[in-house]
Amino acid sequence: MSLGRDEMRSHASSVRDMLKSLVNCEGEEQLNPDRLQNLENMFVGLKSTDVDADRLKFSRLEKALMEMSAPGSKWPQSLVDLALEVVREWQKKLGDISDSGAPLWAPGGRMHSVSKIGGWAENDNQDEESSWQFEGGDDSKAYVTGHNGFQVGHWWIKKACAFRDGAIDSKDEGITCDDSQAYAIVMTDEEEEESPLRPDIISYHADMRDRGRFKLLKNFGCHLPIRVLRSWKLKSQWAPTAGVRYDGLYTIKGYGVKSLEDDGPQGLTFHLARDSDQPGIHRAIVHPNSEEMDDWREYRNIREKFRASTIGIPASGQDEVSTSGQADSSLTTL
């Protein structure tokens, strides 16, 4: 029986995000009979599946099989041989299938409708979040208490993408709030005093320039939960390796006040605990997964190529992946 697009995507995720680490860390003997049978069924299904470039771009299954059959792979040789056979068939039909980047700026893509203000500036090595925008956005979409429709572990390339979807508002500061309360925080830089063994316990150092810190006091007094997002720029072992990740709902259990200067602004540190009636934190910290990292590398690669072609900054070569022709159609939105 042939495999549908969603089945192919599910197989790719299983191979890359669960089984690969299991095999690499503990050996091929960890592939019990049920897991082996499932993989063999996948290969049987692929033989009767009419695969085109769009299906591969959607599923990422070619990446899973190329990783499985790469030199030095620790997968059982029988599976390596099957993966090589499928990859060669696809290459014969479709050409270079390694060149299958994600359509980030297309409708439904992770960067759809998000653009960089003023284009890439010379020496813009930090790629600041404040330089990205989503035009036509509505702050009020984020002014909802609770998950607001987001699953724990939801991941974005940029804060502007989280604003587009309604997870946060458009303020440059990290606290999403209106006149009555706060709804979300994005932690970055040194804002989290990490608890080494507890990603569900947070001491959050609110930026003194962020007026939303006083709205957090309302959440504390009324026991209102708040959405917590961690940025890859957060100096914490719990930060995502790339992008911005939603880690779930937290409740403020207390706070501390410290005057940093005479008659100056007050520093506030909020102590938060993760609410228990939601999926566990382990559902969040597995993100970004392999598919999300594909898109992060694709974004970085497009950025480097665009900067090299417009302002003469050589591409670094880091995170180099194929653009699949996407760069030309996306450059004006960067």
Side-chain angles (χ1 to χ4, degrees):
M1 181 180 294
S2 63
L3 301 180
R5 284 159 45 102
D6 290 331
E7 287 181 281
M8 291 175 62
R9 192 173 191 173
S10 177
H11 280 301
S13 177
S14 175
V15 168
R16 302 179 77 196
D17 293 320
M18 183 179 70
L19 299 180
K20 180 181 176 181
S21 60
L22 199 64
V23 170
N24 286 343
C25 294
E26 302 184 37
E28 64 180 73
E29 60 274 8
Q30 294 301 315
L31 296 175
N32 59 39
D34 288 341
R35 287 170 173 159
L36 283 172
Q37 185 63 56
N38 188 44
L39 289 169
E40 289 169 1
N41 290 342
M42 175 189 72
F43 284 111
V44 170
L46 286 174
K47 288 183 178 180
S48 57
T49 300
D50 184 18
V51 173
D52 57 21
D54 287 340
R55 184 171 290 217
L56 290 185
K57 192 171 292 187
F58 174 82
S59 69
R60 323 288 177 102
L61 188 53
E62 86 287 354
K63 297 183 184 297
L65 299 191
M66 293 178 79
E67 291 169 6
M68 182 182 289
S69 58
S73 168
K74 295 185 179 181
W75 289 87
Q77 189 60 45
S78 60
L79 295 179
V80 171
D81 293 340
L82 288 171
L84 275 172
E85 180 183 349
V86 171
V87 167
R88 286 167 180 163
E89 285 297 318
W90 287 347
Q91 287 175 329
K92 181 188 292 186
K93 177 182 178 181
L94 302 172
D96 183 8
I97 60 173
S98 65
D99 192 20
S100 58
L104 298 182
W105 274 268
R110 296 191 194 276
M111 296 290 286
H112 180 57
S113 298
V114 172
S115 60
K116 195 171 193 301
I117 302 170
W120 298 114
E122 190 168 359
N123 297 322
D124 181 19
N125 294 318
Q126 297 303 314
D127 191 17
E128 293 295 340
E129 294 285 356
S130 60
S131 65
W132 289 85
Q133 66 180 354
F134 169 62
E135 294 185 2
D138 182 4
D139 281 338
S140 65
K141 285 176 58 178
Y143 299 155
V144 177
T145 302
H147 293 294
N148 201 17
F150 297 100
Q151 298 291 323
V152 169
H154 197 109
W155 181 86
W156 299 269
I157 291 178
K158 290 288 180 185
K159 278 179 60 178
C161 304
F163 164 58
R164 174 198 61 202
D165 295 344
I168 59 175
D169 63 18
S170 60
K171 299 186 190 75
D172 289 340
E173 294 83 5
I175 301 173
T176 291
C177 63
D178 59 13
D179 291 337
S180 61
Q181 67 174 85
Y183 301 93
I185 59 174
V186 181
M187 296 192 298
T188 189
D189 298 326
E190 298 178 349
E191 292 178 345
E192 178 180 13
E193 179 182 314
E194 64 182 273
S195 175
L197 301 177
R198 299 289 301 275
D200 54 344
I201 301 294
I202 295 173
S203 289
Y204 168 60
H205 303 302
D207 191 318
M208 291 189 304
R209 298 166 295 180
D210 193 337
R211 289 175 293 179
R213 68 192 189 278
F214 298 113
K215 300 302 180 184
L216 290 174
L217 298 175
K218 174 67 175 293
N219 290 63
F220 170 66
C222 297
H223 308 288
L224 297 171
I226 190 165
R227 294 186 294 278
V228 170
L229 292 77
R230 284 180 167 99
S231 164
W232 73 290
K233 294 185 177 182
L234 178 66
K235 294 177 173 61
S236 165
Q237 65 173 315
W238 305 116
T241 55
V244 180
R245 184 188 68 216
Y246 175 48
D247 283 357
L249 295 176
Y250 286 69
T251 298
I252 300 172
K253 301 297 185 180
Y255 66 93
V257 181
K258 181 179 180 181
S259 295
L260 302 182
E261 299 177 4
D262 292 340
D263 299 323
Q266 291 182 324
L268 291 174
T269 297
F270 294 90
H271 307 292
L272 299 85
R274 196 170 185 274
D275 293 359
S276 59
D277 57 344
Q278 61 184 326
I281 189 66
H282 65 280
R283 297 282 188 90
I285 60 179
V286 296
H287 294 275
N289 58 27
S290 295
E291 183 175 307
E292 292 158 348
M293 285 302 300
D294 290 340
D295 292 350
W296 173 259
R297 295 187 186 100
E298 182 74 354
Y299 156 72
R300 295 291 289 268
N301 188 48
I302 291 173
R303 183 193 71 172
E304 292 295 318
K305 288 187 175 182
F306 182 76
R307 296 179 72 212
S309 66
T310 57
I311 56 180
I313 297 179
S316 67
Q318 295 179 344
D319 294 331
E320 186 74 17
V321 293
S322 163
T323 62
S324 266
Q326 177 190 331
D328 290 342
S329 62
S330 304
L331 294 182
T332 57
T333 68
L334 296 180

